[in-house]
Amino acid sequence: MPEQDVTVGQLLLAEYQSIKDEQKARIGFRDNLLYVTLAAVAALIAAAAQAKQASMLLALPPVCVVLGWTYLVNDEKISAIGRYVRDELGPRLTQLAQPGGDFAAFGWERAHRSDARRRSRKAVQCVVDLTAFCAVPLAALVVFWADGEGGGLLVTLSVLEALAVAGLGVQVVLYASPERTPG
């Protein structure tokens, strides 16, 4: 079989396809995490209500924090891939395709970010993320505290869980802020 020369452009396009496949997989995984969180919340609340044990609600904060953190990390990687395509791959391919010309590779990577409602969508998504991963477990903790049946160890655990949920909430807000996320 004769050797084939591989051009830089072909390598860049192969890299683009590979990271876009990763981005697509991460988007699907990230989006499903919201559904998994809703299912876990519903199951834990139903179990606690059926058993009439408010202490069972203490399982919600760690579940929501782990799922929320996983969601946030995947979301960041999705954005990082977009930034890489816009800031690295696109300009390199543009230069190869037409040095000094007005062609821009992967224009959609920039165009979809420039619509007038992007900021409001990001704000709404931040509220959704905070509700799913932070408000729900904090509400479960409030119910546990209001029940008053927890011993000292469970109350201490619940305070630590509240701190973990609050820490996740801070990260969700920081990540959603436009200054922090150029991607």
Side-chain angles (χ1 to χ4, degrees), residues 30-109:
R30 177 204 59 194
D31 292 353
N32 283 327
L33 283 171
L34 278 173
Y35 301 121
V36 169
T37 302
L38 290 173
V41 165
L44 285 168
I45 290 173
Q50 186 175 4
K52 295 184 168 96
Q53 291 288 321
S55 61
M56 290 177 71
L57 294 174
L58 292 180
L60 267 176
V63 166
C64 289
V65 166
V66 168
L67 291 172
W69 182 253
T70 305
Y71 177 94
L72 196 61
V73 167
N74 269 283
D75 194 56
E76 192 284 324
K77 294 299 180 207
I78 291 163
S79 294
I81 289 169
R83 276 191 307 276
Y84 180 73
V85 169
R86 282 189 311 278
D87 299 343
E88 300 291 328
L89 280 182
R92 288 167 61 195
L93 270 172
T94 297
Q95 191 61 31
L96 285 174
Q98 188 179 27
D102 63 355
F103 168 78
F106 311 128
W108 174 248
E109 296 289 340

Side-chain angles (χ1 to χ4, degrees), residues 4-181:
Q4 293 182 340
D5 290 334
V6 178
T7 68
V8 173
Q10 289 170 324
L11 288 173
L12 291 174
L13 288 173
E15 181 182 16
Y16 171 76
Q17 187 60 55
S18 175
I19 63 174
K20 288 304 279 187
D21 287 345
E22 178 184 345
Q23 187 182 48
K24 182 176 152 186
R26 284 184 178 275
I27 288 169
F29 181 72
R30 177 204 59 194
D31 292 353
N32 283 327
L33 283 171
L34 278 173
Y35 301 121
V36 169
T37 302
L38 290 173
V41 165
L44 285 168
I45 290 173
Q50 186 175 4
K52 295 184 168 96
Q53 291 288 321
S55 61
M56 290 177 71
L57 294 174
L58 292 180
L60 267 176
V63 166
C64 289
V65 166
V66 168
L67 291 172
W69 182 253
T70 305
Y71 177 94
L72 196 61
V73 167
N74 269 283
D75 194 56
E76 192 284 324
K77 294 299 180 207
I78 291 163
S79 294
I81 289 169
R83 276 191 307 276
Y84 180 73
V85 169
R86 282 189 311 278
D87 299 343
E88 300 291 328
L89 280 182
R92 288 167 61 195
L93 270 172
T94 297
Q95 191 61 31
L96 285 174
Q98 188 179 27
D102 63 355
F103 168 78
F106 311 128
W108 174 248
E109 296 289 340
R110 290 194 191 284
H112 77 93
R113 300 172 43 76
S114 63
D115 70 284
R117 294 191 184 123
R118 184 170 191 274
R119 278 175 111 38
S120 64
R121 274 197 319 276
K122 285 192 72 78
V124 169
Q125 187 63 53
C126 183
V127 170
V128 168
D129 296 348
L130 286 171
T131 300
F133 301 118
C134 300
V136 169
L138 288 176
L141 289 171
V142 169
V143 169
F144 168 75
W145 293 326
D147 184 60
E149 294 295 320
L153 186 58
L154 288 180
V155 170
T156 301
L157 175 64
S158 70
V159 170
L160 293 174
E161 289 180 344
L163 292 172
V165 171
L168 176 62
V170 167
Q171 291 302 309
V172 168
V173 170
L174 285 174
Y175 182 75
S177 99
E179 298 80 41
R180 174 154 163 139
T181 57

